[in-house]
Each structure stands twice: as C-alpha cells, then as structure tokens.
Amino acid sequence: GTRIYCSIKKQHLKRYDNHLSVGSWKFIEEFNVTNSIGQYRTTKHCYRISFVKDTIVSNSVTVSDSEFLDLVRFSRIHEGIQNQSILCDVLGQIVNVGQLSTMHVNNKEANKIDFELRDEIDYIDMRLSCTLWGNFADQILEATSKSETEKLICLIRFGKIKEFRDVKSVSNAFDASLVIINPSGSQIDNFVHALPDDGLALTLHLKVMDTTSEITILLFDTSASEMLNCQASELLNGSFNE
C-alpha cells in the first residue's frame, strides 16, 4: 500500500499517454530515482521516480481493488503536525455548507464553495474547514442540494492544507485532487458506522437582529426543527440556493 510520486517530462508524455490511466496496474522498468522535495507532493515517500526516454511500461499481473487511502486525522492538521508540503486524504461528514460564489482568479472566473467536515469522534466533534474551487465546488453543491439522507460523506484525495490567520483548512490542489461523495470501501464503512447517531445533518443559517445590528447563527437540524416544526430537508425542498 505504499505510494510514491512519479513524474514524466513534457517531451515524453505522448509516449505514455495511452499506457497510463487512473486505477490501472503497470510494470515499470528503467527510471530515475531522486529525493522528493518541494511543495504539493502527492506522497510522503522520501523518494520519487522519474521517467526517462528508455522507460518501459507494460501490463502487470498484480492487481488490487484497494484505494490505498492514507487518511489524515483532523487533529494532525489543526495541531500543525501534518506536513503542509504533502497533499493529503481527508474523510468526513458534511455538516455545514456555504453558498456558491464566483471569484476572479488569474483574470478568470471560478466557482468557490466553503463547507465543514466533521470526524467520527463524537466526544470531540472536531471540524475541518474546506474550500473547493471550479468543478469540485459544483460537485459539492449538487450533492448537498440533492441529498435526502442525514449523513453525507465526503472524501477529498490529494487535498492541500492551507493556513490563514492561524486557521488551517483543506482545499483542492489544482486538478490533482479527487472529490468523492459517499464513497465505498471497508474504511469508509467503518467511518460511517463510527459516526455518532445524534441526528446532526446539514445546517441552516439563522439571522437574529436587534435594534443595533444583526448576527448569523448556525442551527443544526435537531435544534432548528424544534423551532420550525419541520426538518431541514422539508424546508429547503432540495434547494440550497434560496
């Protein structure tokens, strides 16, 4: 299950374009091995391999259905233990989703969405802020808008750790990341079964106002339903845009 970073120079890409695809197993011969350094590394392995002009790629008889997840606990991210130069896998239950917004980045418009994940340790209820851009943001919005279940699970693979004003969060690393909603697998099943059965689902935002100003409060479904006499799914009717 050990993962290692591999790179192919631009001039060699066409040679291997039809030989490499996500999920395929290959036998690789003749390559360079160097130290793995720099930002946004995809694995924690201390070495990396690089294709050369004589590298040979052929089909492998060794195959596995494992996703080889290397899940990082939220506490390691918040405490600064996790190396921020290495892209990481995080898994959590979506509990709070902001609105989809359009930002100008590098003279282009890009969709952006902020949301929160929580882990399965109920006595801590640790949250992790996430920001996804582009198609990943659209994917989260679509999943949350159509969700009719209380527990919506999100797996972010190869996400990058960001820090702003001492607050750490996870975002997608360009197109290298993968976002999977309600993934399958034994690790995922164990996580879902370990989630506390407290009825915590997607939140609503409530604005409270007095004579001086207003403030936004987060109410989870169990509390909000007591005030509104209905569940969040009934109130929103599948739409998170209103």
Side-chain angles (χ1 to χ4, degrees), residues 9-177:
K9 291 183 178 179
K10 186 176 181 179
Q11 61 265 34
H12 302 316
L13 278 177
K14 289 186 178 180
R15 282 189 59 194
Y16 304 103
D17 189 41
N18 295 326
H19 297 279
L20 300 173
S21 59
V22 174
S24 62
W25 283 80
K26 300 295 180 180
F27 189 76
I28 304 173
E29 302 173 83
E30 303 294 336
F31 50 82
N32 285 338
V33 178
T34 57
N35 291 322
S36 183
I37 58 176
Q39 294 286 326
Y40 310 132
R41 305 199 300 274
T42 54
T43 78
K44 58 188 177 185
H45 204 293
C46 60
Y47 296 107
R48 57 183 287 179
I49 66 176
S50 302
F51 278 34
V52 295
K53 64 178 182 178
D54 297 323
T55 299
I56 300 172
V57 177
S58 57
N59 291 329
S60 171
V61 295
T62 301
V63 295
S64 172
D65 294 330
S66 174
E67 295 291 341
F68 298 109
L69 294 178
D70 189 13
L71 298 175
V72 175
R73 299 221 66 89
F74 296 175
S75 58
R76 289 183 58 87
I77 296 175
H78 290 309
E79 295 169 9
I81 301 174
Q82 188 67 23
N83 190 336
Q84 296 188 31
S85 297
I86 301 174
L87 304 183
C88 62
D89 298 341
V90 294
L91 177 70
Q93 178 190 2
I94 301 178
V95 291
N96 181 26
V97 183
Q99 292 184 335
L100 187 73
S101 58
T102 302
M103 311 291 290
H104 291 276
V105 181
N106 297 327
N107 298 320
K108 295 181 180 180
E109 289 188 347
N111 287 339
K112 169 189 169 231
I113 198 166
D114 298 313
F115 61 99
E116 274 189 335
L117 296 178
R118 78 157 173 175
D119 61 17
E120 77 280 22
I121 306 178
D122 58 341
Y123 61 88
I124 296 180
D125 193 20
M126 185 169 290
R127 309 294 175 88
L128 178 66
S129 298
C130 301
T131 300
L132 294 181
W133 295 81
N135 292 333
F136 298 116
D138 298 332
Q139 185 178 348
I140 293 295
L141 180 65
E142 181 180 5
T144 53
S145 298
K146 294 181 178 179
S147 175
E148 296 180 356
T149 62
E150 290 187 354
K151 297 178 181 178
L152 197 63
I153 309 302
C154 178
L155 170 64
I156 301 176
R157 301 206 67 181
F158 307 111
K160 66 178 179 180
I161 301 173
K162 305 189 305 176
E163 183 171 357
F164 180 70
R165 294 179 178 174
D166 297 326
V167 176
K168 295 180 177 62
S169 63
V170 168
S171 179
N172 58 289
F174 313 104
D175 292 330
S177 302

Side-chain angles (χ1 to χ4, degrees), residues 150 198-204 206 218-235:
E150 290 187 354
D198 55 6
L200 179 57
L202 297 178
T203 55
L204 309 166
L206 176 70
L218 281 178
L219 285 182
F220 293 108
D221 199 43
T222 49
S223 300
S225 60
E226 295 179 3
M227 299 175 59
L228 303 177
N229 294 320
C230 67
Q231 299 293 317
S233 57
E234 300 174 51
L235 180 65

